[in-house]
Structures are given as C-alpha cells and as structure tokens.
Amino acid sequence: MRRAAGLFGGVVVAVAESRANTLFNLAERVGMAREAFASFDNVQVEGFNGLLMNFVQEHDARVVLRGLRAVSDFEYEFQLAGMNRNLYPDVETLFLTPAEKYTFISATMVREVAKFGGDVSKFVSPNVVTRLQKKYDLN
Amino acid sequence: MRRAAGLFGGVVVAVAESRANTLFNLAERVGMAREAFASFDNVQVEGFNGLLMNFVQEHDARVVLRGLRAVSDFEYEFQLAGMNRNLYPDVETLFLTPAEKYTFISATMVREVAKFGGDVSKFVSPNVVTRLQKKYDLN
Amino acid sequence: MRRAAGLFGGVVVAVAESRANTLFNLAERVGMAREAFASFDNVQVEGFNGLLMNFVQEHDARVVLRGLRAVSDFEYEFQLAGMNRNLYPDVETLFLTPAEKYTFISATMVREVAKFGGDVSKFVSPNVVTRLQKKYDLN
Amino acid sequence: MRRAAGLFGGVVVAVAESRANTLFNLAERVGMAREAFASFDNVQVEGFNGLLMNFVQEHDARVVLRGLRAVSDFEYEFQLAGMNRNLYPDVETLFLTPAEKYTFISATMVREVAKFGGDVSKFVSPNVVTRLQKKYDLN
Amino acid sequence: MRRAAGLFGGVVVAVAESRANTLFNLAERVGMAREAFASFDNVQVEGFNGLLMNFVQEHDARVVLRGLRAVSDFEYEFQLAGMNRNLYPDVETLFLTPAEKYTFISATMVREVAKFGGDVSKFVSPNVVTRLQKKYDLN
Amino acid sequence: MRRAAGLFGGVVVAVAESRANTLFNLAERVGMAREAFASFDNVQVEGFNGLLMNFVQEHDARVVLRGLRAVSDFEYEFQLAGMNRNLYPDVETLFLTPAEKYTFISATMVREVAKFGGDVSKFVSPNVVTRLQKKYDLN
C-alpha cells in the first residue's frame, strides 16, 4: 500500500464480500484495513460486492492495481485482466510484485498458525495480531 | 468443437455429472451443448457419471481429446492422462490448445459477470447467454 | 518411505487430521500407514492435529521431509517452508522428488477410480486396495 | 504502448543494446520503434547500454513498466524487479499483461517465419514487415 | 511413435536441421530415427529445413503432433501452435504426453552421460547407444 | 551452506567446470567458495569435471543436496534427479529452498550489475565483491 500510495494520486482499497465463510466478515476486514492504512492521506478503504468493474466505475478509477506473488497467481490474474479488458477497455490492470520478505506469506497459513496459538507478529500488522487473538479467544 | 469435428470421423461430447453444486444441472448442461453443436453432423452430446474411461469404452472411442488452456491445467491433465493410460492402455489422450481469443475465458468468471448483470455475450454462445439470464432472473 | 528410512536414523510419519471430510478418518489413515510401513524398523507413524511445527518439536525432529511431485506443489511448499523457517529457524525442510512411476498418481484420482470399481492395485499398496473396497462396499 | 501512453504523462521506450548478435542493430531497432510510435505525443524512444536503472535515473523516471506475457516470463521479471528494488528503492516496477491476441507472438518465431518468406503482417506493424523483407533480401 | 502410428493412417517424422552445432548432423539424426522406427509400416522419416508449416503442406499433412513433457515445454508449444494456426488455419496441432517412465529423459543429459562414459542404455534405443559410443570414441 | 553444514556430518561443495565461457575459471570459483566457507569445519570445496555421479561416488557421498529457488528450476532438477536415480539408485537427491531474502538473486544479474559498476554488496559475500571489482578493473 505504501508503494501504491506513492505512485498514484489516490488509492481506493476494494475489500470484497466473500461468498465463502471467512474468518472475519466484510465489516471487520474493512475495519482492519482502515486501521492498517490510517496514516496514508490518499488511501481510502471500501467494501464492495458484485463486479469489481462496477466498483471501479463508481469510483472513476482508471487503473486496477493487483499483486502478483507467485506463478500460480499469474494465470488467474491473466484471465481476470483479460475478462475485465473485454468488459471495460478503458480501465487498465497493472501488477506489482511483493518485496521478497513477503513472498512466502499466505493468509491461509497465517490463520492456521494463529488458530493454534503460534506467533504471527512477523507476518501481519499489530492490529491484525490483536484481532486474530480475540477471534480465537487466545488472550 | 469445430476443430475436433474436422479432425475425427465422429466426436462424442462427454458432459460430466458434477458432485459439486453447479449452476446448471447435468440435463441443462447437456441441453446447452446440444444447442451449441447442433450444426455439426458428426458430433453427439452425452451426459455421464462414473469413470470417464468406462464412458470411453461404452462408445468404442479410441481417443480422449482435451483442451489445454493454461500451465495450471497441464499438471492435472498430465496426471489424468497417466492414470487413464495405466487403466486402459489402448486409449490415447490428445490435447488441443485454444485459439488465443479464448485463452482468458474462465467459466467461473463468466458466471460471476452474468450473475451481476454484466454482458457475457462476447464470451459464450447466444443460447448460453439466454440461459444465464433466465437462471439469474435478469430478463 | 523406503528412501527416507535409508537416509535418516529415524523417521516419524505425521498423519494430519483434516478439517475437510475425508474418505478415511485419522485413525484409519494412521492404521493404513502403519500397515504399509510395518517392515521398516526406524519408521513410526503418528497422527496429529494443530501445527506441524509443534509436532516436530514434540518429537525432537530436526528435519521436515516433504515430497515434491509437480510444479504446482512447489509454490505451496515454498510458502510453507518459508513460514516454518520463520517460526522455528532450527528446523530445516528438505524435499524429495518421486520416482517417475509415481509422478502421475493423485490421491483424488485413485479414490475416484476405486469408487466406481476401477482397479487401483497398480497405484496403491495391497492393504489400501482392501480398505478402499470395504469403504465402497465393493467386495 | 497505446495503453502505457494513456496511463502516464510521458513514456520513454528503452531499447537495450544486446550483447548477442541480433538481426537488427541498436540503431535499426530504435528506428523501428520510433516509426511505430510516431503518432504518440508523449512517447520517446531511446537506446541504451549498461544498467537499466542508470537509464531510469537519467530520465528521472519513477516507474519501470514491463510486459508479462507468460508464466515463464514471470520468474525472470520477479528476480529483475527484486534486484532493481534493492538497488533503487524509489523506482517501482509495474507490469501489464498483453491483450489475448498478442499472447502467442514470439519475436524469435516472427524472425523465423520472415526468414523463410512466410507472411508476418498479422504479427508486426507494416514498417517492421518492410524492414524484415529488406534484411532477408526477400523483396 | 508407437502410439502415434496407432492413431493415424500415416506419420511423417520431421527431423529439423538445427542452426546450433549438434552432436549428430541432420543425415545422422534422420538415420537414427529410421533405424528406430523401421518396424512401423506407416511411419516415414524426413529431414527438413525452413518452416515446419511448409514441410507440413508439402506432405499434405493435416495434423502436427507434438510431445508435451513438462510445464516448461507448454508455453513454447502454446506460442508455436498459435503462430502456426494463424499462418495455416487448416492444420491442427495436437499434443501427446509421454508415459511416466520417459518424463525425466532429457537429450542434453543423455549426451552428457554418454560423453563421460556413463550407461545410457536405459534411456535410448540400442542403435543410438552404439552411435553415441562411436561419436565419443568410447568403444 | 550454513544450513547444509548443520544437517550433515560433512559437506563437499562440488564446483563444476563449465563448458561455457564463464567470468571466473574453475580455479577462481573454487577459490571464492573456499574463502566464503572457510569458517565451516565440516565443509570442503572441490572442483570437478565429468559426471556429477562419478564425483559423488569418489567422495562416498550418499546425498546430492541441491537448491530450488524457482518454479523454473524445478523441472530441470526433477529430470536431473530422475536421471541420477536411474544411474545410481543408492544416491538420493534432496532439495532445500532458499530463505526469502535470497529468492530474487540471480548470478547473471549480479554479474551484469557489477560489470556496470553497480553495488552488489547486498547480494554476494565481501570476497566476491572484491573479485568482481578486480575482474572488471573497477577499483
């Protein structure tokens, strides 16, 4: 987010409502992201459901910025970018790769470690550590 | 299908019953495929459940023809072809790659776009557009 | 297992309790592994739930040995090894690749073949064949 | 280039001098790029040798924009972006994926086809077709 | 080749003249292939240079059959099939995957092993073993 | 190397003579490795040419330990391990994955950066920095 905020005039973080049962609901996930990005003046966090491209249009955005962490991300992202380009040719999808110290971090694994009481403070920001401990009644 | 029908004397489209909850049931999926391939004289569409290789034997087929769209398809297909070759050495698995304009099309994404009222007519045949609209009560 | 048992003084097979609905429960899977590895003096089989790294520490193990069968395994394993190295730097993750005759064997496909009465004796050991037949009431 | 020129105030196309023996030398490649992008007001084309990041700094650029066409590009690009981020943390690497109709185009294959007199006008711009014909004395 | 010969009425093995310095020249490679496939009535072996698609047309072939051994083959083959489909839409590219016992065999590694006197009889046919020994003056 | 030295009683670093023109010759590369690993009591560095498996047998080694940095390494390594297992079934190939801070380091890129006077001290050990500077007459 720090890197995105430096590149663009304004950044809207789009937190998707998930159809699957997630550990945190949409409001909680929006809340965590707002806490984490509070110090960035040009970053706002919004939840959405429905099509990403509708959200993009409502916010008059011209770029969808996505992270590419691994080869296995790439093909899904390539399909998604292709679909979106066909639906709305005026919006571009751009990709960032993570700094190397973040490459091995997987949300699934962080939840797993947290669930069994392992220390995840190296992997997520302090406000997320607290939320994970509360969720799992660990503190 | 157009390309497969030109290569072989006859083609049987095998529509698998899915264990997962699918948007369309087996009969609907067989129906859509029959509509889409109605103009091909040497193509028939059949639903099946159980092992693909049993279906192959019932139809006296000698080749299983599969599409390879992405690297991530490849390893699953390689395993499947290997298992099938061990079970029935007389049947060969052959692969086609899609024309480039189809490479980014994912059934999951098409359903998602259709569900929220997006236009999928670029991605699927007209009879499928109609069926998707009915399914989602959009028309 | 034969290869691992030859490389290390002792090997503990860690059978994970799964959160998903598995065909065999934990006790059954531990039982099958014990039958299959009974002839190895320096191999023991244990079930576990919770974090693998806790299991590793309880058994004073210094190495986690994993199999790498396909490219698609690699990225998950790379993330897992990275997470574990951050949690417990004293434990190393080492990888083996399978002999070529095992590369195409997928547990999901074996279950599928067995479920519909196909012959899986080429793919799994005899005691697993028997257990699969019983589970599917096929004998 | 059309997409890049729409996203950024100005774009500098950096044509690298190659250590390998290339079909066209640096001046020819710069020339072809200038012809192809002549209609874009905010695009300039420059040759360079040495480190890309030095070129980036000389032009006061803040973003390196790269194309990601295939999975096999990804790992090289990931390494390159990581090296460059360590050398110059103020410059970001962003990636675009090609429109699907360009995904299968490989410069090596285009040269091969042109060399043997095949028609490459579907794959490259008209000025490059002419240059290839002259280079191979085909017209 | 055994599998291809069973699927099609006739098979032409196209041995490419290489631009790189190869261990065996084109005539030798054609010779080795003819020895290896002598027992197949419907298989002929021909050397060629220039574009594969010209060779395909000269032989009135309708299918290009290629092997897919590994993920890293896939993207090159996908590009090649796409280029060829654009050049000659009437010719289809089909792919076979190798039996598992051949998946790890690499021509480069076989040459390397043979060069230093290692035993390659498990990897190549007897006539190729003899030719490799002669080439490296090993017998 | 630190991690390998902790896992095994003794480690022999095998530095291969390259057929390609390398920046440093075999003696220089052996020298650099000896400098870098001088503090490890159970590590020795040896150059070799010919087959790795002959080197392995001369040193009575039972394990070949290799690094797996990226997906693109995996398939080559899988082939190499398969070939070697067929040649010498008693020797096992084991793999380590790098710590995340090393994942993006490529020898080719380090040489490139060093050649143009860039700072590579973050990527290689101090003795290698000095050797690179001398080689490129940069100091």
Side-chain angles (χ1 to χ4, degrees):
Chain A
M1 193 48 55
R2 187 185 47 70
R3 291 158 60 200
L7 284 172
F8 297 96
V11 178
V12 183
V13 181
V15 181
E17 177 146 52
S18 176
R19 262 155 304 277
N21 235 343
T22 53
L23 179 61
F24 294 104
N25 64 28
L26 181 58
E28 289 172 316
R29 283 183 288 132
V30 168
M32 282 188 281
R34 285 187 178 150
E35 289 162 11
F37 307 140
S39 63
F40 296 102
D41 283 346
N42 62 342
V43 174
Q44 68 182 103
V45 177
E46 304 292 344
F48 80 104
N49 53 59
L51 288 183
L52 176 63
M53 292 314 270
N54 292 343
F55 181 88
V56 166
Q57 293 197 312
E58 284 159 21
H59 287 80
D60 281 325
R62 291 184 47 212
V63 168
V64 174
L65 189 65
R66 312 259 316 167
L68 270 182
R69 194 179 44 189
V71 167
S72 48
D73 293 341
F74 176 73
E75 297 202 317
Y76 172 78
E77 294 291 338
F78 179 79
Q79 290 186 332
L80 192 60
M83 291 287 279
N84 284 336
R85 190 182 304 127
N86 271 272
L87 291 170
Y88 302 96
D90 294 345
V91 175
E92 289 294 339
T93 304
L94 290 175
F95 299 94
L96 279 172
T97 55
E100 61 273 12
K101 67 182 167 182
Y102 301 127
T103 52
F104 67 87
I105 298 181
S106 135
T108 305
M109 291 181 193
V110 167
R111 277 194 302 268
E112 195 80 347
V113 171
K115 182 180 178 182
F116 292 108
D119 177 10
V120 297
S121 60
K122 278 187 188 172
F123 309 134
V124 293
S125 55
N127 70 310
V128 177
V129 173
T130 309
R131 294 236 195 189
L132 281 165
Q133 287 173 334
K134 270 187 201 154
K135 185 64 81 179
Y136 288 125
D137 279 322
L138 293 168
N139 222 359
Chain B
M1 192 51 55
R2 187 186 47 69
R3 291 158 60 201
L7 283 173
F8 297 96
V11 177
V12 184
V13 181
V15 182
E17 178 147 52
S18 177
R19 261 155 303 278
N21 236 341
T22 55
L23 180 61
F24 295 104
N25 64 30
L26 180 59
E28 289 171 315
R29 284 183 287 132
V30 168
M32 283 188 281
R34 285 188 178 147
E35 290 161 13
F37 306 139
S39 64
F40 296 101
D41 284 345
N42 61 343
V43 174
Q44 67 183 102
V45 177
E46 305 291 343
F48 79 103
N49 54 58
L51 287 183
L52 176 62
M53 292 314 270
N54 291 343
F55 180 89
V56 166
Q57 293 197 312
E58 284 159 22
H59 288 78
D60 280 326
R62 291 185 48 212
V63 168
V64 174
L65 189 65
R66 312 257 319 165
L68 269 183
R69 195 178 43 187
V71 168
S72 48
D73 292 343
F74 175 72
E75 298 203 315
Y76 172 78
E77 294 291 340
F78 178 79
Q79 290 185 332
L80 192 60
M83 292 287 280
N84 284 336
R85 190 182 305 126
N86 270 272
L87 291 171
Y88 302 95
D90 293 346
V91 175
E92 288 295 338
T93 303
L94 290 175
F95 299 94
L96 279 172
T97 56
E100 62 273 14
K101 67 181 166 182
Y102 301 127
T103 52
F104 68 88
I105 298 180
S106 134
T108 306
M109 292 181 193
V110 167
R111 277 193 302 268
E112 196 79 347
V113 172
K115 181 180 177 181
F116 292 108
D119 177 10
V120 296
S121 61
K122 278 188 188 171
F123 310 133
V124 294
S125 56
N127 69 312
V128 177
V129 174
T130 310
R131 295 235 193 190
L132 282 164
Q133 288 172 334
K134 271 186 202 151
K135 185 65 82 179
Y136 288 124
D137 280 322
L138 293 168
N139 223 358
Chain C
M1 193 48 56
R2 185 185 48 69
R3 291 157 60 201
L7 283 172
F8 296 96
V11 177
V12 183
V13 181
V15 181
E17 178 148 50
S18 177
R19 260 153 305 276
N21 236 342
T22 54
L23 180 61
F24 294 105
N25 64 29
L26 180 59
E28 290 172 314
R29 285 183 287 133
V30 168
M32 282 188 281
R34 285 188 177 149
E35 289 162 13
F37 306 140
S39 64
F40 296 101
D41 284 346
N42 62 341
V43 174
Q44 68 183 103
V45 177
E46 306 291 344
F48 80 103
N49 55 58
L51 288 182
L52 176 63
M53 292 313 270
N54 291 343
F55 180 89
V56 166
Q57 293 197 311
E58 285 160 20
H59 288 79
D60 280 325
R62 292 184 48 211
V63 169
V64 174
L65 188 65
R66 312 258 318 166
L68 269 183
R69 194 177 45 187
V71 167
S72 48
D73 293 342
F74 176 72
E75 297 202 318
Y76 172 78
E77 293 291 340
F78 178 79
Q79 290 185 331
L80 192 61
M83 291 287 279
N84 284 336
R85 189 182 305 127
N86 271 271
L87 291 170
Y88 302 96
D90 293 346
V91 175
E92 289 295 337
T93 304
L94 290 175
F95 298 94
L96 279 171
T97 56
E100 62 271 14
K101 67 181 167 181
Y102 302 127
T103 52
F104 68 88
I105 298 180
S106 133
T108 305
M109 292 182 192
V110 167
R111 278 193 303 267
E112 196 79 348
V113 172
K115 181 180 177 180
F116 293 106
D119 177 9
V120 296
S121 60
K122 277 188 188 171
F123 309 133
V124 293
S125 56
N127 68 310
V128 176
V129 174
T130 309
R131 295 235 194 189
L132 282 165
Q133 288 174 333
K134 271 186 200 153
K135 184 65 81 177
Y136 287 124
D137 281 322
L138 293 167
N139 223 1
Chain D
M1 192 49 55
R2 186 185 48 70
R3 291 158 59 201
L7 283 172
F8 296 96
V11 177
V12 184
V13 180
V15 182
E17 179 148 52
S18 176
R19 260 152 304 277
N21 237 342
T22 54
L23 180 60
F24 295 105
N25 63 29
L26 180 58
E28 290 172 315
R29 284 183 286 133
V30 167
M32 282 188 281
R34 285 189 178 147
E35 290 162 13
F37 307 140
S39 64
F40 295 101
D41 284 345
N42 61 342
V43 174
Q44 68 182 103
V45 177
E46 305 292 344
F48 79 103
N49 53 58
L51 287 183
L52 176 62
M53 292 314 270
N54 291 343
F55 180 88
V56 166
Q57 293 198 312
E58 284 159 21
H59 287 80
D60 282 326
R62 291 184 48 211
V63 169
V64 174
L65 189 65
R66 313 254 323 162
L68 269 183
R69 195 178 43 188
V71 167
S72 48
D73 293 342
F74 176 73
E75 297 202 318
Y76 172 78
E77 294 291 341
F78 178 79
Q79 290 184 332
L80 192 60
M83 291 287 279
N84 284 337
R85 189 181 304 128
N86 270 271
L87 291 170
Y88 301 95
D90 293 346
V91 175
E92 288 295 336
T93 304
L94 290 175
F95 299 94
L96 278 171
T97 56
E100 62 272 13
K101 67 181 167 181
Y102 300 129
T103 52
F104 68 87
I105 299 180
S106 134
T108 305
M109 292 181 191
V110 167
R111 278 193 302 267
E112 196 80 348
V113 171
K115 181 181 178 180
F116 293 107
D119 177 9
V120 297
S121 61
K122 276 188 190 170
F123 310 133
V124 294
S125 56
N127 69 311
V128 176
V129 174
T130 310
R131 295 235 194 190
L132 281 164
Q133 288 173 333
K134 271 186 201 154
K135 184 65 80 179
Y136 288 124
D137 279 323
L138 294 168
N139 221 358
Chain E
M1 193 49 55
R2 187 184 47 70
R3 290 158 58 201
L7 283 173
F8 296 96
V11 177
V12 184
V13 181
V15 182
E17 178 147 52
S18 177
R19 261 153 304 277
N21 236 342
T22 53
L23 180 60
F24 295 104
N25 64 29
L26 181 58
E28 289 172 315
R29 283 183 288 133
V30 168
M32 281 188 282
R34 285 188 178 147
E35 290 162 12
F37 307 140
S39 63
F40 295 101
D41 284 346
N42 62 342
V43 174
Q44 68 182 102
V45 177
E46 306 291 345
F48 80 104
N49 54 60
L51 286 184
L52 176 63
M53 291 315 269
N54 292 343
F55 181 89
V56 166
Q57 294 197 311
E58 285 160 20
H59 287 80
D60 282 324
R62 293 184 47 214
V63 169
V64 175
L65 189 65
R66 311 256 320 164
L68 269 182
R69 195 178 42 188
V71 168
S72 48
D73 292 343
F74 176 72
E75 298 202 318
Y76 172 78
E77 294 291 339
F78 178 79
Q79 289 185 332
L80 192 61
M83 291 288 279
N84 284 337
R85 189 182 305 128
N86 271 272
L87 291 170
Y88 302 95
D90 294 345
V91 175
E92 289 294 338
T93 304
L94 290 175
F95 299 94
L96 279 172
T97 56
E100 61 273 13
K101 67 182 166 181
Y102 301 127
T103 53
F104 67 90
I105 299 181
S106 134
T108 306
M109 292 180 192
V110 167
R111 278 194 302 268
E112 196 79 348
V113 171
K115 182 180 178 182
F116 293 108
D119 176 10
V120 296
S121 62
K122 278 188 189 170
F123 309 133
V124 294
S125 57
N127 69 311
V128 177
V129 174
T130 310
R131 295 236 193 189
L132 281 165
Q133 288 173 335
K134 272 186 200 151
K135 185 64 82 178
Y136 288 124
D137 280 322
L138 293 169
N139 222 358
Chain F
M1 193 48 57
R2 187 184 47 70
R3 290 158 60 200
L7 283 172
F8 296 96
V11 177
V12 184
V13 181
V15 181
E17 178 147 52
S18 176
R19 260 153 306 276
N21 237 341
T22 54
L23 180 60
F24 294 104
N25 63 30
L26 180 58
E28 289 172 316
R29 284 184 287 132
V30 168
M32 282 188 282
R34 285 188 178 147
E35 290 161 12
F37 307 140
S39 64
F40 296 102
D41 285 346
N42 61 341
V43 173
Q44 67 183 102
V45 177
E46 306 290 344
F48 80 103
N49 54 59
L51 288 183
L52 176 63
M53 292 314 270
N54 292 343
F55 181 89
V56 166
Q57 293 197 312
E58 285 159 21
H59 287 80
D60 282 325
R62 292 185 47 212
V63 168
V64 174
L65 189 64
R66 311 258 318 164
L68 270 182
R69 193 179 44 188
V71 168
S72 48
D73 293 342
F74 175 73
E75 298 201 318
Y76 172 78
E77 294 291 340
F78 177 79
Q79 289 185 332
L80 192 60
M83 291 287 279
N84 284 336
R85 189 182 305 128
N86 271 270
L87 291 170
Y88 302 95
D90 293 346
V91 174
E92 289 295 337
T93 304
L94 291 175
F95 299 94
L96 278 172
T97 56
E100 63 271 15
K101 67 182 167 182
Y102 301 127
T103 53
F104 68 88
I105 299 180
S106 133
T108 305
M109 292 181 192
V110 167
R111 277 194 302 268
E112 196 78 347
V113 172
K115 181 180 178 181
F116 293 108
D119 176 9
V120 296
S121 60
K122 277 188 188 170
F123 309 133
V124 294
S125 56
N127 70 309
V128 176
V129 173
T130 308
R131 295 236 194 189
L132 282 164
Q133 288 173 335
K134 272 185 199 153
K135 185 65 80 178
Y136 287 125
D137 279 323
L138 292 168
N139 221 359

